[in-house]
Amino acid sequence: MRKLTKQNGTAIVVALFVTALVATIAVAMITRLHTDTRRTELLLNDIQANLNAEGEIDWAIEQLIQNWKFHATDKIVDAIPITSPVIAVDGTHLTAVITDEQAKLNLNNLTDPKYQSVFLRLLQTVSPDTSADQAKAILAAIIDWITPGVRNSTFDNTYTGLNPPYRAPHQMMTSISELHLVKGVTPKLFAKLAPYITALPELTQININTAEIPILMSLVSGMTTTQAKAIIAARKETPFVSVDRLAQFPGASSVEKSLLTILSQYFLTRTDVVMDDDQRMTIYTLMLRRPQQSTAVIKILWQSKGTL
């Protein structure tokens, strides 16, 4: 039998090392290939989801046009929320929901003193543990945030001292998510306010036909939940054709009528796309409906994927 020499032993070690190296490289290549394949699959799914979502947005546009075109004077124009049928396309499920943004308080209205008191009441309605002084401080911070021409304010000094630092834009908010950055607004408080606030590109009135209980209670000091529910029950039977009708309801006789409208122009469509492999996409679309003779024109103001 031939004896194992030192050279033979070295050759075996080298061979084993090369084999291990080749195996390691092969595993790395297979893993990389799998990752690249999955990434490509996700990108293709994302493109397909966007294309499918466009169909739901077209549905929302047509729905808003038809609502205006064929509405009756004794019926509410838009029975909000409006939900599309669930559509299944090649393993993808789509749905869309239209909500009325003028059922909410527009944060960009807060440069107007009439809406400032509404905001203070709303804040303490949804967050009773917020004191009057805290509410006023938050209101002051929002007004500073959206007021043009303000520089080197005490609020700016606060924001630039944070990590990371930032500055107030001193212009209208484009999204309610900006409220996260305003001094005094905690995540808990934002979550409570979010369903009842919006950020629209102009001063807007609140739609008395679609506003929810906390908004109704914020229109005037002292309105109770029971009184707000009575307004909602009455408008389900017969929608408001004039804001003057509000004076008939207990607790609402002193509401400032200039705050209100019976028709809306701004709508938000949330489109959800769910794929069989549990890949999901949510697209938010803000739409403006402008009446034009017997019909209406819809303009898309912005779209956001995943968050407002």
Side-chain angles (χ1 to χ4, degrees), residues 52-69:
N52 289 335
E54 288 299 320
E56 290 294 274
I57 294 166
D58 288 341
W59 164 84
I61 291 173
E62 184 63 22
Q63 183 71 48
L64 291 172
I65 292 174
Q66 295 302 313
N67 285 358
W68 178 261
K69 189 174 181 179

Side-chain angles (χ1 to χ4, degrees), residues 56 59-60 63 82-87 94-98 270:
E56 290 294 274
W59 164 84
Q63 183 71 48
I82 306 170
T83 303
S84 72
V86 177
I87 299 175
L94 304 101
T95 187
V97 179
I98 305 171
R270 170 176 170 155

Side-chain angles (χ1 to χ4, degrees), residues 178-198:
E178 290 184 49
L179 197 58
H180 281 293
L181 302 175
V182 174
K183 184 180 179 181
V185 179
T186 63
K188 181 179 178 181
L189 181 58
F190 178 85
K192 292 178 178 180
L193 280 171
Y196 310 109
I197 57 174
T198 185

Side-chain angles (χ1 to χ4, degrees), residues 6 86 93 218 226 243 272 302:
K6 185 175 182 180
V86 177
H93 293 79
S218 303
T226 301
V243 296
D272 288 295
W302 56 251

Side-chain angles (χ1 to χ4, degrees), residues 122-278:
L122 175 63
L123 186 53
Q124 293 191 284
T125 296
V126 299
S127 180
D129 56 339
T130 300
S131 70
D133 287 341
Q134 288 174 322
K136 289 177 182 177
I138 292 171
L139 173 61
I142 296 174
I143 293 172
D144 173 84
W145 189 273
I146 63 175
T147 301
V150 178
R151 291 292 181 270
N152 299 321
S153 70
T154 56
F155 294 104
D156 282 331
N157 293 336
T158 298
Y159 301 141
T160 55
L162 299 175
N163 186 20
Y166 56 90
R167 293 184 182 276
H170 301 300
Q171 63 183 19
M172 282 188 168
M173 291 187 182
T174 58
S175 167
I176 63 170
S177 62
E178 290 184 49
L179 197 58
H180 281 293
L181 302 175
V182 174
K183 184 180 179 181
V185 179
T186 63
K188 181 179 178 181
L189 181 58
F190 178 85
K192 292 178 178 180
L193 280 171
Y196 310 109
I197 57 174
T198 185
L200 301 176
E202 62 179 336
L203 298 181
T204 53
Q205 295 169 303
I206 296 168
N207 190 334
I208 193 63
N209 280 316
T210 53
E212 296 186 38
I213 289 174
I215 293 292
L216 293 174
M217 292 176 63
S218 303
L219 294 176
V220 62
S221 179
M223 183 182 291
T224 66
T225 303
T226 301
Q227 291 168 337
K229 286 181 178 179
I231 295 172
I232 291 176
R235 78 188 186 195
K236 285 181 179 179
E237 294 292 329
T238 307
F240 284 75
V241 294
S242 168
V243 296
D244 293 334
R245 181 186 169 202
L246 195 61
Q248 303 171 8
F249 294 88
S253 59
S254 60
V255 172
E256 174 62 55
K257 295 177 185 177
S258 64
L259 301 175
L260 305 174
T261 184
I262 59 170
L263 298 171
S264 293
Q265 293 183 309
Y266 289 92
F267 300 88
L268 185 71
T269 299
R270 170 176 170 155
T271 307
D272 288 295
V273 183
V274 182
M275 300 181 181
D276 283 345
D277 64 354
D278 207 33

